[in-house]
Amino acid sequence: MKERRLIIPQQISRIALYSTPCIIQCIYVSYSNDYMFLTVGLSCLCGSSILYWNNMQNTAIYNIDRSLAVSVLSIKSYIAYNHFCIRGAKIWYTSLLVSAFAYILSLYLFQINKYCIEPDKSQIMKQAVYYHMFFIHFLPTTTFSLCVLHYLPIIEDT
């Protein structure tokens, strides 16, 4: 079966490695707040993302990375629903919705890039990678971490 996903040249795809500190800070916040299942998921996601952005040819790593990303977002959504106050949950789900739309748009940007003329292709691909990094890597990890730090319900000892 012919694969239809776009393979980004390695010198461009490695730019996405700059977003790994976002995952690492989310690992720290998750660990500090005893979200161990999320901590393990994020750690695996960080590893698979590094492997994927270093070698986009490997379909197995691609599938593992996507599965881990969806799993981590699901765990975060579960935590938001069950642990955040209403405002924190609204912020998280709004961020998640924005990231979902941005993911669809980044797929579109990568696909239209296939039909660009060669001088523009590299620049459009770089812009699409930066766009992807901000909306898919930075926004959800940072939003979740800030929500954990500010919108967990305060339980007072009586």
Side-chain angles (χ1 to χ4, degrees):
M1 182 159 101
K2 185 178 182 221
E3 187 159 359
R4 296 188 319 197
R5 68 186 175 96
L6 179 66
I7 305 298
I8 300 169
Q10 195 167 12
Q11 70 271 16
I12 295 174
S13 69
R14 285 195 172 182
I15 294 169
L17 291 172
Y18 291 120
S19 65
T20 54
C22 298
I23 301 171
I24 293 169
Q25 65 82 16
C26 198
I27 290 170
Y28 175 75
V29 169
S30 299
Y31 179 78
S32 298
N33 287 277
D34 293 323
Y35 294 128
M36 293 306 151
F37 194 58
L38 179 59
T39 301
V40 170
L42 283 164
S43 299
C44 293
L45 177 63
C46 187
S48 70
S49 294
I50 290 168
L51 290 173
Y52 175 63
W53 287 102
N54 273 309
N55 179 12
M56 297 188 80
Q57 303 288 335
N58 192 323
T59 305
I61 292 173
Y62 170 75
N63 290 328
I64 290 168
D65 190 57
R66 285 180 65 176
S67 298
L68 283 169
V70 170
S71 298
V72 163
L73 290 174
S74 299
I75 295 166
K76 288 178 179 181
S77 296
Y78 174 83
I79 291 169
Y81 183 79
N82 289 296
H83 295 229
F84 293 172
C85 66
I86 298 296
R87 179 179 286 167
K90 285 180 181 179
I91 291 170
W92 166 248
Y93 288 113
T94 301
S95 168
L96 190 61
L97 184 64
V98 168
S99 291
F101 282 127
Y103 180 75
I104 292 167
L105 286 173
S106 74
L107 289 177
Y108 175 73
L109 284 174
F110 286 128
Q111 292 304 316
I112 63 169
N113 194 46
K114 286 181 179 180
Y115 306 108
C116 291
I117 56 174
E118 200 54 46
D120 296 335
K121 194 174 239 178
S122 178
Q123 185 60 30
I124 292 171
M125 204 171 280
K126 277 183 185 176
Q127 289 173 342
V129 167
Y130 282 117
Y131 175 83
H132 178 89
M133 282 173 36
F134 179 78
F135 285 103
I136 312 305
H137 298 188
F138 178 78
L139 181 65
T141 55
T142 305
T143 301
F144 181 80
S145 294
L146 289 173
C147 286
V148 166
L149 296 173
H150 294 288
Y151 294 109
L152 284 176
I154 298 171
I155 301 171
E156 296 181 18
D157 293 330
T158 54

